[in-house]
Amino acid sequence: MANPIYNRKDRASVNTLRLLAVDMVETAKSGHPGLPLGASPLLYVLWTRFLRRDPGCPNWPNRDRFILSPGHGSALLYALLCVCGYGLTINDLKEFRRLGSKTPGHPERDVTPGVEATTGPLGHGFAMGVGLAMGERAMGERFNRPDFPLFDHFVYGLVSDGDLMEGVVAEAASLAGTLALGKLIYLYDDNHMTIEGATDLAFAEDVRARFLAYGWQVIVVADGEDLVSLHLAIENAKANLEKPSLIICRTILGAGSPKANTPKAHGEPLGPEALAKTREFYGYGDKPPYFIDERVANNFTDRVKAFEPYRLKWEETLSLYQTAYPEEAQELNRRLAQKLPDLGPSLDFPAGAMATRVASGLALNDLAKKLPEIIGGSADLGPSNKTELTGLGSFLPLTPAGRNVHFGVREEAMGAAVNGLALYGGLRPYGATFLSFVDFLRPAIRLAALMRLKSIFILTHDSLGVGEDGPTHQPVEQLASLRIIPNLTVLRPADAFETAALWPVALKIDGPVAFILSRQDLPVLRPEEYPAVLTGPAKGGYVLADPEAEPQAIIIATGSEVSLALAVQKLLAGQKRIRVVSLPSWEIFAAQSQSYRDEVLPPGLTKRLSVEAGLSFGWERYVGQNGQSVSVEEFGRAGQAAAVFAEFGFTPEKVAARLLGLFA
Amino acid sequence: MANPIYNRKDRASVNTLRLLAVDMVETAKSGHPGLPLGASPLLYVLWTRFLRRDPGCPNWPNRDRFILSPGHGSALLYALLCVCGYGLTINDLKEFRRLGSKTPGHPERDVTPGVEATTGPLGHGFAMGVGLAMGERAMGERFNRPDFPLFDHFVYGLVSDGDLMEGVVAEAASLAGTLALGKLIYLYDDNHMTIEGATDLAFAEDVRARFLAYGWQVIVVADGEDLVSLHLAIENAKANLEKPSLIICRTILGAGSPKANTPKAHGEPLGPEALAKTREFYGYGDKPPYFIDERVANNFTDRVKAFEPYRLKWEETLSLYQTAYPEEAQELNRRLAQKLPDLGPSLDFPAGAMATRVASGLALNDLAKKLPEIIGGSADLGPSNKTELTGLGSFLPLTPAGRNVHFGVREEAMGAAVNGLALYGGLRPYGATFLSFVDFLRPAIRLAALMRLKSIFILTHDSLGVGEDGPTHQPVEQLASLRIIPNLTVLRPADAFETAALWPVALKIDGPVAFILSRQDLPVLRPEEYPAVLTGPAKGGYVLADPEAEPQAIIIATGSEVSLALAVQKLLAGQKRIRVVSLPSWEIFAAQSQSYRDEVLPPGLTKRLSVEAGLSFGWERYVGQNGQSVSVEEFGRAGQAAAVFAEFGFTPEKVAARLLGLFA
C-alpha cells in the first residue's frame, strides 16, 4: 500500500482551521484557542480522508459518528462544520458564544447540524461514543444481511488528557475493551499540558499501557503535525475490527502561538498581539481574520464531496433491502422514526403483594418481546433490579444479538452508554442500579435531560424499605435530587398496576425517565377496588380512593407510601373523611390542566398531608402552608425494614396521628 | 529471611472468622456470606501479623489504617473486631443488621469502634484510603523529626472487583501512582465472580497491567488460602516505599460452602442446610453457631497483644518530642484536638467589585497562613477556582511539604481523597471544581455528610453568570441538589465581605461545607453602608438593608442576586418599602431561634420574593403561599453573562416588575 499523499494545500487547510478557530475566540472574547491550534491536523486528516458523512444529510443512519469529547474545543468543530458545508456561515462563526447563535460555547446537539452529542463535562463524550459503537453493533446485528450492510460504520472521537483522567472514561474504556468494540477509534490529543501546569503534575500514568490492559489497540503518532503518520494510524485502527483503538497523538497546546505549550494557551483569547504572531507563523500574516483561501475552500468541498457516494450507495442498498426483506425494513423504518406499535393490554396481577421492581421486570419483559428496540441492563445488579430480559441473551462479543447488557459496576459509564445508545437511533435503552447509587450517574442523567434523550433509568430499592443494608444504601434525598433536574420525568408507582400502566407512558415521553421502584413487596391495588389505578397513573396524579361523603383532608402519597395512606384512610374511617391521592409523577401531573389538578387537589381543601419516605423538600408546593409532610429528614439506619419505617414514623398509627394533628 | 510459620491454630482461626461471619448472616437472615468465606485468610494474615493497632486505643494517631472497601463484607470485619478485642461481643454479632446495634449492615464509622470509614458505595473505600495515605505523608512531613517518627504507618485495605470497576477507583489509583504513595497497600479479593455472573462477563481487562500502568507495584498471590504467600506478599509490599501496592489474591467466593463460586454465594444467607455443610467442611460440624475454640480465642488475643508495644513506644516518643520540639508538639496537639487558634480580623476589601471566588481565594490564603492544617486543591481548575495557596508549594512526591494538591481532572476521587484527609486527623482539607460539576463528586459529598466529616468543597462559577460556556457549565439545579443533602452546610455569600465572614464559620461547622461562589465580579458591600454584612452572615440569614419606614415586602436573595435585590430596592425606593434579606445559608439560618427568624422574616409580612439564579424548588418554605420566586426553571444558554441573565429575567427592571406584581 503506497503512502497517502499530503501536500501544501493540505497544510494550508489545516492552518485555516486553526486560524478560523482562534479568530472566533478572539471575536467572542471568550473560548479556548489551545486545543484547535494543537489538534487541527488530527481532525483535518480524519474529516477529509475518513469520515463518511454527508453534510446534505447529516442524520443519515449509517454515517460515521464523530464526538468531540473535550467540548471546549468547539471552535475547531464549528470551523470544520463551516468549511465542510454543514450550513454554518462565517457569520455564524463570528457569532461564536453569543446568545441564540448556532455556535454556542460547547457543542450542543440540538443547536448545530452535524453535532452528534452535547459535550463539555469531560469524559462523557468518550463514554457516549462507547454507547454509539454498541448501537452500531446492535443495529447491524439485527438488520444487516449478506450484501446488505446497513449498519457498518465507525465511531470516531477526539479525546483529551482531561477526559482520560475522568473515572467515567476508565469505566467506559474497560467496557469497550470487554465488548471488543472494534469500530471505535479515538484520537488522543496528547499535549502534556493542563490548566494547572504540565500534565504529569497530576497524571503520571502510562496511558498506552493502561489502554492495552483494557484490551484496546494502541497506536502512537510521535508528531501530531505529521499528516501521513496520522493517516496511517487511522488506517491501522480501522483495520483492527477486534479491538477499539486509541491513537495517541503528541501535539502542542496552542501550537504556533507565542503561548504554545503553556497553560495560558488553554482557555482565553490569545489577544491581538499574540494572534498576529500566530497568523504570521502560519503564513497568513497579511490576511484578515476569517480568511479562507479559495484553494483551501475548494479542497474541503472536494474532499467532503468524495464521501457522498457512500450515502448514495446506502440509499440504494436500503431500497433493495425493502424488497428483499420487507418485514425487517418495516421494523427498521418504524424504529428509526421512533414509532411504537400497539403495545397490547397492560399486565394483570393477582391480588396479594408484589414489589414494584418485580412488576417492572414483568412489564419490561413483556414490552421487550413486542419492542425489539429495547436493550439494556444493570450495573451488576440485574437480579436485584429485576431488569434481566429472560431468554434474550447477553450482549457480548460472541453473542452480539443479545439484548442484556452487562455494564459492570460502572454506574456512570452505564448512564453515558445508555445515552449513546439513545443518541444512536432505532434503540430504546435502559440502565439500572439502586436508587441510592443514582448519585454516581447523575452527570449522565443531566446530559440526557439536556439533550432530551429517551434514556430510561431504572432505580430500585427506593427508600428506608431497603432495611438492613443501612444508610449508605437507603435513599433519602435521591427522589428530590431527581425531581429537580429539568426535562427529567420521575415515576414512582404505588403498586404493580401503576407500574405496568406507567411503562408505556415512559416509552412515549420525549426525554429521559427515571423509574423509582420498591425493593419490598407492596399490596396489589386490584382494579375492582381501585378502578382509577388503570387510567390515573398516566395523568401523573389522581384520586385513588375517596370517602363516601365530601373529603375533609387529603393524603398525597407516592410509591410504597400509597398503601400506607390507604391504611390510614381505613384506620380513621369513623373519624375523618380522607381522600387518598396517588402522585406517581410530579412532572406529568404538573403538565395536566389546572382544572384537572384542582379536581384532584381542590384549592379549598387545605388540610393536606404528604407521605413519602424521603425528604419533604419541595412538597410545600402540594401540601401548602396549612399542610404537613410525613418525611425523612436525616440519613436512614440499618435494621429490618419494618423497624426502620416505624422509627421514622411510617406506620398507620403514626401517620394517622399526624393527620389528626391537622385538625388540632 | 526465613519463611513465616503458619500452623493448624492459624487455619482454625481463619475458619472461625469464616463461620462467625456466616452465622451472623444466618441469624440476621440478611447479609453477605460470600466475601467472608473467600477473603478471611487475607484479613487473618493482615490483622494478626501486620496491622499495628491497639484495640484499647482505637484512635491512636499512628495506628495502621484498615479500610474494608467492599463494605458488604461487614460481617467479616465485625468478626475480626470481636475476636481482636475491640469491644464487640458475641451478642453484638448476633444483633448484626438490627436497628440500633453496633453491627449495622455496612460498616459505619461512628457506630463501631475500630471502623475507620463508612463504606458500602463501591470504590469510595479505596479512594478514601488514598486520602489517608496522603494524610500520613503530610502529617509525617510536618511533624516527624530525626528519631521522632510520629507518623509512620501503613494504610491497608481490602478491595473487590466491584471496587476496581468503579471510575472513582481508576481516578484514585492514578492519583496514588502519581503521588507515589508507598505506604498504601491493598489486598484485592479476586474471586472472579459478580452478582450477574462470572466477572469476565463485564470485566475482561488485565487488572495487573492496569495498575502497573498507574505506577503501582503489583504482587500476585495465586492461592488466597496460602497464608505464607499472603504473608510474604504483604512483606514485599511494605518493603517498597516508592510505590503503592496492589496484592492480587485469587480467592473463591463463598469458599467451602455448597454455593462456592456462584453468584448465589454473594448476598443472601446460606440457609441452614448449606450452612451445616459449610461448618462441616471447615471441621466444625459438631460445633454450635458462634463457636470459638479457646485456642483460637487465645491466638487472636496473643497476636493483637503483640502490637501493643508499638503504641507504647509511640507514646514514649511523643512524650520526648514534647520536650525536644515543644512548639511542634503544641501545634500537633491543637490540630489533633481540632482546635482553632485565634484567626485574627477578617479581611477588608476596597469599594468596587470582586468575584466571590476571588474573595474566597484571598480569605483561604489568609487562613492557610494561620492554619498549617489547611491542605487542598482543585480538579485541575485551581487558577479558575482561586484555590491555589500562594507560596505554599505543590504536594508532590519530591515536595511532600507542599500544601497544594493537584487532584487532576478527577472530581470524584478528589472528593473521596478530601474525605480521607478529613478522616485522617490533624488536617483541614478542601477540594474545588465548578459548581456545575459537583454532580461528579456527589457520592463523596454524601459520604462526608453521613460521617459528618469536616470536608470543605469549593464550588465556583455558580450560575448563569458563567455565560459563554453554556448550559453544560451553568448550574441550575445544583444549589438545590446540595441543600437537600442532610448534614451538609451550603454557603452562598453575596460579596467579598460575606465570603470572608463565612470562612471562619465554615471551619467551625461540625460537618461538610460547600462554598458556592461567583465567577463574575459582584459589588462589594462596604460595611459603612451595610453594617450587617460583618456579623449577619454567621447567622445564615439577616436583614441586609431596610427601608426607612416599616417594610411592605421582602426580597430574599443569595449570592450574586443580593446586589440585584439591592438595586431593585433602590429602583423602587419611591414606590415600595422593601426589605432585603441576604440568606447565604439555609442550614445555618434554620438553626437560629424562631424569634430571630421571625425578626428577619416577620410572619405577617407575606409579600415575599426570592431571587436566586437557580431553581425555585424548595423556596416555598421562605416565600410562602403569597410569595413568588425569580428563578431559573430550565437549563441555561450560552451567551454573554449579562445577556443570559436578562434572558432569564435577572435585571433590576424585570425583578422590580415581579415585585410589584405581588401588590397587584
Side-chain angles (χ1 to χ4, degrees):
Chain A
M1 182 165 55
N3 270 4
I5 292 170
Y6 284 86
N7 58 29
R8 289 175 62 185
K9 189 166 63 182
D10 296 298
R11 182 57 57 193
S13 301
V14 170
N15 295 340
T16 297
L17 291 174
R18 288 174 149 135
L19 292 172
L20 283 174
V22 294
D23 282 338
M24 291 166 67
V25 174
E26 206 65 19
T27 306
K29 297 199 180 68
S30 161
H32 301 76
L35 185 150
L37 286 173
S40 281
L42 285 50
L43 296 198
Y44 175 74
V45 171
L46 180 65
W47 280 60
T48 61
R49 302 304 201 275
F50 293 94
L51 205 66
R52 295 185 181 173
R53 309 223 301 179
D54 185 343
C57 195
N59 295 321
W60 165 41
N62 196 39
R63 69 193 179 279
D64 283 341
R65 305 304 200 270
F66 173 79
I67 299 276
L68 182 73
S69 194
H72 58 265
S74 57
L76 173 55
L77 180 57
Y78 299 142
L80 275 163
L81 291 171
C82 172
V83 296
C84 291
Y86 281 79
L88 283 192
T89 64
I90 291 290
N91 240 4
D92 289 322
L93 301 191
K94 290 180 180 169
E95 291 283 301
F96 182 47
R97 299 189 144 234
R98 289 283 177 277
L99 193 61
S101 78
K102 287 163 88 177
T103 48
H106 289 78
E108 294 182 37
R109 184 178 81 114
D110 299 316
V111 171
T112 317
V115 169
E116 293 284 354
T118 299
T119 53
L122 289 172
H124 278 261
F126 183 117
M128 285 190 281
V130 170
L132 289 174
M134 291 164 67
E136 192 265 358
R137 177 175 291 170
M139 290 295 278
E141 186 63 23
R142 171 71 190 102
F143 292 108
N144 290 353
R145 294 291 180 274
D147 297 324
F148 294 94
L150 288 182
F151 294 91
D152 178 28
H153 64 83
F154 286 84
V155 176
Y156 297 99
L158 185 74
V159 304
S160 65
D161 44 46
D163 291 298
L164 298 191
M165 280 189 253
E166 289 283 7
V168 66
V169 161
E171 294 177 0
S174 180
L175 181 62
T178 300
L179 293 176
L181 297 174
K183 298 282 189 75
L184 184 65
I185 298 174
Y186 283 151
L187 299 165
Y188 169 24
D189 177 31
D190 181 21
N191 61 31
H192 294 210
M193 197 52 62
T194 70
I195 291 176
E196 294 189 2
T199 308
D200 59 9
L201 266 182
F203 192 55
E205 65 172 58
D206 180 344
V207 169
R208 181 179 159 276
R210 173 156 70 107
F211 275 76
L212 289 173
Y214 290 138
W216 286 50
Q217 169 175 240
V218 182
I219 302 170
V220 177
V221 175
D223 177 3
E225 300 287 334
D226 177 354
L227 305 181
V228 171
S229 292
L230 288 166
H231 187 111
L232 294 174
I234 300 174
E235 271 191 352
N236 285 332
K238 286 186 68 173
N240 186 341
L241 292 175
E242 307 297 315
K243 294 181 174 188
S245 292
L246 184 73
I247 305 176
I248 301 179
C249 311
R250 178 64 171 106
T251 59
I252 307 289
L253 184 75
S257 83
K259 298 178 182 175
N261 210 25
T262 72
K264 292 291 280 180
H266 167 72
E268 58 193 38
L270 292 177
E273 201 175 322
L275 177 53
K277 284 192 181 151
T278 309
R279 200 183 303 286
E280 205 170 311
F281 179 89
Y282 287 116
Y284 286 89
D286 57 340
K287 296 292 188 292
Y290 300 99
F291 174 77
I292 306 177
D293 193 295
E294 197 186 329
R295 208 180 36 151
V296 165
N298 291 339
N299 176 41
F300 279 109
T301 311
D302 294 348
R303 287 288 171 186
V304 169
K305 193 85 187 158
F307 296 121
E308 199 186 17
Y310 292 107
R311 182 183 62 85
L312 296 174
K313 169 79 182 151
W314 187 85
E315 303 282 1
E316 194 185 310
T317 304
L318 180 66
S319 156
L320 295 170
Y321 184 84
Q322 277 163 341
T323 312
Y325 301 98
E327 274 181 41
E328 284 84 348
Q330 202 177 3
E331 181 190 325
L332 175 61
N333 288 333
R334 179 185 70 71
R335 286 169 59 171
L336 291 177
Q338 302 202 31
K339 286 195 181 137
L340 293 176
D342 177 31
L343 298 176
S346 201
L347 295 182
D348 194 14
F349 300 92
M354 179 182 278
T356 51
R357 65 174 166 144
V358 173
S360 172
L362 294 170
L364 173 61
N365 269 278
D366 176 55
L367 290 165
K369 279 186 211 115
K370 298 164 186 164
L371 298 175
E373 56 264 49
I374 288 181
I375 181 172
S378 163
D380 194 42
L381 291 170
S384 293
N385 298 140
K386 306 296 178 195
T387 45
E388 292 171 322
L389 303 176
T390 311
L392 296 183
S394 289
F395 182 76
L396 289 172
L398 297 179
T399 53
R403 286 162 60 194
N404 288 286
V405 181
H406 300 281
F407 289 107
V409 189
R410 305 184 184 101
E411 296 83 5
E412 192 176 355
M414 172 178 75
V418 164
N419 289 346
L421 286 161
L423 278 168
Y424 191 81
L427 297 164
R428 293 304 307 269
Y430 67 90
T433 186
F434 290 159
L435 176 57
S436 161
F437 301 148
V438 75
D439 288 356
F440 284 82
L441 63 146
R442 193 167 174 84
I445 296 180
R446 187 176 208 248
L447 277 170
L450 195 49
M451 290 187 269
R452 290 188 186 274
L453 297 180
K454 293 189 174 182
S455 301
I456 295 181
F457 302 104
I458 301 173
L459 305 163
T460 70
H461 296 59
D462 71 345
S463 75
L464 301 176
V466 166
E468 289 90 344
D469 278 335
T472 56
H473 286 52
Q474 289 167 357
V476 170
E477 74 281 23
Q478 276 74 8
L479 246 172
S481 83
L482 294 172
R483 288 190 180 129
I484 61 180
I485 298 178
N487 304 345
L488 176 68
T489 302
V490 181
L491 307 172
R492 188 173 188 237
D495 85 322
F497 279 100
E498 277 201 7
T499 308
L502 285 170
W503 257 101
V505 172
L507 291 170
K508 286 165 197 153
I509 290 172
D510 190 26
V513 172
F515 271 104
I516 313 293
L517 303 167
S518 79
R519 172 202 187 197
Q520 72 274 24
D521 279 346
L522 303 177
V524 171
L525 305 171
R526 289 284 311 167
E528 303 88 58
E529 194 174 353
Y530 304 103
V533 81
L534 296 177
T535 54
K539 293 175 187 157
Y542 64 103
V543 178
L544 177 66
D546 248 348
E548 302 219 340
E550 202 178 335
Q552 301 165 288
I554 310 181
I555 301 182
I556 315 169
T558 77
S560 48
E561 286 67 66
V562 170
S563 30
L564 175 57
L566 292 170
V568 173
Q569 187 192 41
K570 280 179 189 144
L571 189 67
L572 296 178
Q575 298 175 62
K576 298 291 173 198
R577 298 186 306 276
I578 300 169
R579 162 175 290 188
V580 173
V581 168
S582 177
L583 192 63
S585 175
W586 290 22
E587 299 81 12
I588 298 177
F589 184 64
Q592 305 301 311
S593 68
Q594 182 71 48
S595 67
Y596 175 75
R597 283 181 285 143
D598 287 350
E599 220 174 89
V600 177
L601 300 173
L605 200 49
T606 61
K607 290 192 176 19
R608 300 177 181 187
L609 187 70
S610 73
V611 188
E612 185 174 75
L615 291 180
S616 64
F617 199 97
W619 269 105
E620 291 95 339
R621 67 184 57 177
Y622 291 113
V623 299
Q625 245 161 350
N626 299 321
Q628 289 202 18
S629 294
V630 178
S631 63
V632 183
E633 303 296 330
E634 55 187 297
F635 290 116
R637 286 201 252 300
Q640 287 171 311
V644 179
F645 270 130
E647 176 87 0
F648 283 89
F650 289 82
T651 63
E653 295 71 23
K654 289 181 177 173
V655 174
R658 292 289 303 276
L659 187 114
L660 292 176
L662 295 177
F663 291 87
Chain B
M1 183 165 55
N3 270 3
I5 294 169
Y6 284 86
N7 57 29
R8 291 175 61 186
K9 190 167 60 181
D10 296 297
R11 183 56 57 194
S13 300
V14 170
N15 296 340
T16 297
L17 291 174
R18 289 174 148 134
L19 293 172
L20 283 175
V22 296
D23 282 338
M24 290 165 67
V25 173
E26 207 66 18
T27 306
K29 297 198 179 69
S30 163
H32 302 77
L35 185 150
L37 286 172
S40 282
L42 284 49
L43 295 198
Y44 175 73
V45 171
L46 179 65
W47 279 59
T48 61
R49 301 303 202 275
F50 294 94
L51 205 64
R52 295 184 181 175
R53 310 222 302 179
D54 185 343
C57 194
N59 295 321
W60 167 40
N62 195 40
R63 70 194 179 276
D64 283 341
R65 306 303 201 267
F66 173 78
I67 300 277
L68 182 74
S69 194
H72 58 264
S74 57
L76 173 54
L77 179 57
Y78 300 141
L80 275 163
L81 291 172
C82 173
V83 296
C84 292
Y86 282 78
L88 283 191
T89 64
I90 291 289
N91 240 3
D92 289 321
L93 301 191
K94 289 179 179 167
E95 292 283 299
F96 183 46
R97 299 188 146 235
R98 288 285 178 276
L99 192 61
S101 79
K102 286 163 87 179
T103 49
H106 289 77
E108 295 182 38
R109 183 180 81 115
D110 299 316
V111 172
T112 317
V115 168
E116 293 285 354
T118 299
T119 53
L122 289 173
H124 278 260
F126 183 116
M128 284 189 281
V130 171
L132 289 175
M134 292 165 68
E136 192 266 354
R137 176 176 291 172
M139 290 294 278
E141 187 62 23
R142 171 72 189 101
F143 292 107
N144 290 353
R145 294 292 179 274
D147 297 325
F148 293 94
L150 288 181
F151 293 92
D152 177 29
H153 64 83
F154 286 84
V155 176
Y156 297 99
L158 185 75
V159 305
S160 64
D161 45 46
D163 291 297
L164 298 190
M165 282 190 252
E166 289 283 6
V168 66
V169 162
E171 294 177 359
S174 181
L175 180 62
T178 299
L179 293 177
L181 297 173
K183 298 283 189 74
L184 185 66
I185 299 175
Y186 283 152
L187 299 164
Y188 169 24
D189 177 31
D190 182 22
N191 61 32
H192 294 211
M193 197 52 61
T194 70
I195 292 175
E196 295 189 2
T199 309
D200 58 9
L201 267 180
F203 192 56
E205 65 172 58
D206 180 344
V207 170
R208 183 179 157 276
R210 174 157 70 104
F211 275 76
L212 289 173
Y214 290 139
W216 287 50
Q217 168 175 240
V218 183
I219 301 169
V220 177
V221 175
D223 177 5
E225 300 287 334
D226 177 354
L227 305 182
V228 171
S229 292
L230 288 166
H231 187 110
L232 294 174
I234 300 174
E235 271 190 353
N236 286 331
K238 285 185 68 173
N240 186 340
L241 292 176
E242 307 297 315
K243 295 180 173 189
S245 293
L246 184 73
I247 305 175
I248 302 179
C249 312
R250 179 67 169 103
T251 59
I252 307 289
L253 184 76
S257 82
K259 298 177 182 175
N261 211 23
T262 71
K264 292 291 279 179
H266 167 73
E268 58 193 38
L270 293 176
E273 202 176 320
L275 176 53
K277 285 192 180 150
T278 308
R279 200 183 303 286
E280 203 170 315
F281 179 88
Y282 287 116
Y284 287 89
D286 56 342
K287 295 292 186 295
Y290 299 98
F291 175 77
I292 305 177
D293 193 295
E294 196 186 330
R295 210 180 34 152
V296 165
N298 292 338
N299 176 41
F300 278 108
T301 311
D302 295 347
R303 287 288 172 188
V304 168
K305 192 85 184 158
F307 295 121
E308 199 185 16
Y310 292 106
R311 182 183 63 83
L312 296 174
K313 169 80 181 151
W314 187 86
E315 304 282 2
E316 193 186 310
T317 304
L318 180 65
S319 157
L320 295 170
Y321 184 84
Q322 277 161 339
T323 312
Y325 301 98
E327 274 181 41
E328 285 83 349
Q330 202 178 2
E331 182 190 323
L332 175 62
N333 287 333
R334 180 186 66 73
R335 285 168 61 170
L336 290 177
Q338 302 202 28
K339 287 198 180 129
L340 293 176
D342 177 33
L343 298 176
S346 202
L347 295 182
D348 193 16
F349 300 92
M354 180 184 278
T356 51
R357 63 173 167 144
V358 173
S360 171
L362 294 171
L364 173 61
N365 270 277
D366 176 55
L367 290 166
K369 278 186 214 117
K370 299 164 185 165
L371 298 175
E373 56 264 50
I374 289 182
I375 181 172
S378 162
D380 195 40
L381 290 170
S384 293
N385 299 139
K386 306 296 178 196
T387 45
E388 293 171 322
L389 303 176
T390 311
L392 295 184
S394 289
F395 182 77
L396 289 172
L398 297 179
T399 52
R403 286 161 60 193
N404 287 286
V405 181
H406 300 281
F407 289 107
V409 189
R410 306 185 184 102
E411 296 83 5
E412 192 175 355
M414 173 178 74
V418 164
N419 290 346
L421 286 162
L423 278 169
Y424 191 80
L427 297 164
R428 292 306 306 268
Y430 67 90
T433 186
F434 290 160
L435 175 57
S436 161
F437 301 148
V438 74
D439 288 356
F440 284 82
L441 62 146
R442 193 169 174 82
I445 296 180
R446 186 175 210 252
L447 276 170
L450 194 49
M451 290 187 269
R452 291 190 187 272
L453 298 180
K454 293 188 173 182
S455 302
I456 295 182
F457 302 104
I458 301 173
L459 306 162
T460 71
H461 295 59
D462 71 346
S463 74
L464 301 176
V466 167
E468 289 91 343
D469 278 335
T472 55
H473 286 53
Q474 289 167 355
V476 170
E477 74 281 23
Q478 276 74 9
L479 246 173
S481 83
L482 294 172
R483 287 190 181 130
I484 61 181
I485 298 178
N487 305 346
L488 175 68
T489 302
V490 182
L491 307 173
R492 187 174 189 237
D495 85 322
F497 278 101
E498 276 201 5
T499 308
L502 286 170
W503 257 103
V505 172
L507 290 170
K508 286 165 197 156
I509 289 171
D510 191 26
V513 171
F515 271 103
I516 313 293
L517 303 168
S518 78
R519 173 201 187 199
Q520 72 275 24
D521 280 345
L522 304 178
V524 171
L525 305 172
R526 289 285 310 168
E528 302 88 58
E529 195 174 353
Y530 303 103
V533 81
L534 295 177
T535 54
K539 293 174 187 157
Y542 64 103
V543 179
L544 177 65
D546 248 349
E548 300 219 343
E550 203 177 334
Q552 299 167 291
I554 310 181
I555 301 183
I556 315 169
T558 77
S560 49
E561 285 67 66
V562 171
S563 33
L564 175 58
L566 292 171
V568 174
Q569 187 191 43
K570 280 180 190 143
L571 188 67
L572 295 179
Q575 298 176 63
K576 298 290 173 198
R577 298 187 304 276
I578 301 168
R579 163 175 290 188
V580 172
V581 167
S582 176
L583 192 62
S585 174
W586 290 22
E587 299 81 11
I588 298 178
F589 185 65
Q592 305 300 312
S593 68
Q594 182 72 46
S595 67
Y596 174 75
R597 283 181 284 143
D598 287 349
E599 222 172 88
V600 176
L601 300 173
L605 199 51
T606 62
K607 291 194 174 20
R608 301 178 181 186
L609 188 69
S610 73
V611 188
E612 184 174 77
L615 292 179
S616 65
F617 199 96
W619 270 105
E620 291 94 339
R621 66 184 59 178
Y622 290 113
V623 299
Q625 243 159 353
N626 298 320
Q628 287 202 19
S629 294
V630 179
S631 63
V632 183
E633 303 295 330
E634 55 186 296
F635 290 116
R637 285 202 252 300
Q640 288 171 308
V644 178
F645 269 128
E647 175 87 0
F648 283 88
F650 289 84
T651 64
E653 295 71 23
K654 289 181 178 174
V655 174
R658 292 289 303 278
L659 186 114
L660 291 176
L662 295 177
F663 291 86

